[in-house]
Amino acid sequence: MESKIEILSTVKVEHHADLYKIVDLLNRTLKHNDLMFGLALDQEDKNKAIFTIYRT
């Protein structure tokens, strides 16, 4: 069975130490809706984070 992950939206935001808490909450709350959320530190600007919404 092949799993395809589709990127729905991506936004660059100011990095904050608590952003991961929001991503964790969204993942736990909306996983049954086939949604997944990601957060990554921007490689070019360490003061920015990239927030991505995926459909699984």
Side-chain angles (χ1 to χ4, degrees):
M1 181 179 224
E2 186 176 322
S3 175
K4 184 170 181 174
I5 297 175
E6 172 187 8
I7 295 175
L8 298 178
S9 184
T10 300
V11 66
K12 193 180 289 191
V13 297
E14 291 294 322
H15 181 266
H16 187 280
D18 287 338
L19 279 175
Y20 78 93
K21 292 178 184 179
I22 295 169
V23 173
D24 182 55
L25 175 73
L26 289 168
N27 279 324
R28 285 188 281 121
T29 304
L30 297 173
K31 66 182 173 184
H32 300 294
N33 295 49
D34 296 328
L35 295 173
M36 182 173 68
F37 302 86
L39 184 67
L41 194 58
D42 188 342
Q43 295 298 313
E44 296 173 7
D45 183 353
K46 301 298 183 187
N47 294 317
K48 301 280 184 181
I50 300 170
F51 175 75
T52 307
I53 303 171
Y54 305 92
R55 182 175 317 279
T56 58

